Amino acid sequence: MSNIILLGPPGAGKGTQARLLTEGRGMEQLSTGDMLRAARTSGTEMGKKVAAVMDRGELVTDEIVIGLIAERLRDGSTGGFIFDGFPRTLAQADALGELLKRSGTDLDAVIEIRVDDKALEDRITGRFTCGNCGEVYHDRTKPTDKAGICDACGSTDLRRRPDDTAEALRTRMLAYYRDTSPLIGYYYHAGDLFVVDGLAEIPKVAASIAAILDQAGSS
Ligand code: AP5
C-alpha cells in the first residue's frame, strides 16, 4: 500500500495520472478539486460559498479543504491514497502529516509533475471531462473517438470547467507559485520528493510514476 501526493501546476496532468493509478493499482484518488465541484453541484452551503472563489481561480480556505480530507481519511484505504491537488499550502501539508500519523500511516512519495508553463494554457483551455465517469480529454491531444461521446462510459455529458479560461489560469498560476510551490522544498527536505517530466506523453509519464512507486514499495 502506498500513499502519494501528485504535485504540479494547473494542467500538469495530476488528475489524468491519478485516474490511471486508480485503474492500474487499486489506489484511491482524493481530489479536493473534484470534492469541491461535487459540493457545488449538490448545492450544499459549503458548495455555494466556494463557487465564486473557484471560478476566479483563487484558493479555498485551508479549513474547508482540510476538513474534506480528514473526513475521507477516517475510513482508510486498502490500496493507498493518491492526493491530487492537496496539499496546496504549507498549513495543508502540516495538517496532512498529522492526519496520516494519527491513522498510523505515512507518505511514501511526493511526485512533482514538472511542466513548462507555456504548455499549460493549451492544456487547460482544451480540456473537457465526462460529467458521468470523470474521464479527462483534450480537444487536440486526447479527443473522444466519437464526437460528443465519452469513450470510457458512453455518456454524452461532456463538460468544460468555468475556471478553465486563460484569465482564471493566470490567477491559478499565481496561487501555485505563491502558496503551493514552497511545498517542493518542504517535501525535498523531508526526503519524499520525486520529479517526473510532465511534458512527456501520458503513457510515458505513467511509466515514470510506476517506476517510482515500484521503487518506493520495494525499499
Ligand atoms: P483542481 O481541480 O485541483 O485544479 P488544478 O490543480 O488547477 O489542476 P487541474 O485539475 O486543472 O489540472 P491537472 O493537473 O489535474 O491536469 P489534467 O490531468 O486534468 O482545483 C480547482 C480549484 O479548486 C482551485 O483553483 C481552488 O479554487 C480549489 N481547490 C482545489 N483543491 C484545493 C486545495 N487543496 N486548497 C485550496 N483550494 C483548492 O490535465 C489537463 C489537460 O491536459 C487535459 O486535457 C489532459 O488530457 C491533458 N494532459 C494531461 N497530461 C498530458 C500529457 N502528458 N501530455 C499532453 N496532454 C496532457
Side-chain angles (χ1 to χ4, degrees):
M1 185 191 108
S2 305
N3 293 315
I4 65 163
I5 293 173
L6 296 181
L7 191 63
K14 304 179 295 294
T16 300
Q17 295 301 327
R19 282 183 67 79
L20 293 172
L21 288 167
T22 304
E23 289 157 16
R25 294 186 179 241
M27 297 174 76
E28 189 176 335
Q29 177 186 10
L30 294 188
S31 158
T32 38
D34 286 349
M35 292 177 206
L36 292 165
R37 279 184 287 278
R40 290 178 63 164
T41 309
S42 56
T44 63
E45 275 314 304
M46 185 269 278
K48 287 182 202 156
K49 209 160 115 186
V50 299
V53 174
M54 291 177 75
D55 289 352
R56 284 198 300 272
E58 292 164 8
L59 292 186
V60 168
T61 63
D62 288 336
E63 192 191 355
I64 288 178
V65 288
I66 291 168
L68 287 171
I69 289 288
E71 203 178 309
R72 293 288 288 272
L73 289 188
R74 244 171 248 141
D75 297 333
S77 166
T78 45
F81 290 111
I82 308 157
F83 297 96
D84 161 12
F86 180 92
R88 256 174 155 97
T89 65
L90 290 168
Q92 292 177 25
D94 284 339
L96 178 62
E98 275 305 309
L99 287 166
L100 289 174
K101 197 153 78 178
R102 251 185 266 158
S103 59
T105 170
D106 203 356
L107 272 179
D108 298 275
V110 176
I111 302 173
E112 183 200 349
I113 305 180
R114 199 170 282 175
V115 180
D116 194 315
D117 286 2
K118 286 194 212 92
L120 298 177
E121 183 169 329
D122 174 63
R123 285 201 187 177
I124 287 293
T125 54
R127 170 173 52 190
F128 57 100
T129 52
C130 175
N132 182 49
C133 73
E135 188 65 25
V136 186
Y137 295 97
H138 187 276
D139 291 325
R140 195 174 45 77
T141 57
K142 197 185 164 206
T144 51
D145 289 340
K146 286 188 199 150
I149 300 173
C150 175
D151 299 346
C153 74
S155 169
T156 53
D157 181 12
L158 300 176
R159 302 175 182 182
R160 290 184 195 265
R161 282 169 39 180
D163 59 341
D164 275 352
T165 62
E167 195 190 346
L169 176 62
R170 274 190 290 279
T171 309
R172 289 160 69 188
M173 289 302 292
L174 189 64
Y176 179 75
Y177 280 122
R178 188 189 53 215
D179 299 311
T180 309
S181 66
L183 298 184
I184 296 169
Y186 178 100
Y187 288 118
Y188 175 80
H189 181 70
D192 292 327
L193 188 72
F194 297 83
V195 181
V196 296
D197 174 14
L199 283 176
E201 288 169 12
I202 292 170
K204 286 197 179 145
V205 181
S208 304
I209 293 175
I212 292 167
L213 293 187
D214 291 342
Q215 193 194 335
S218 63
S219 60

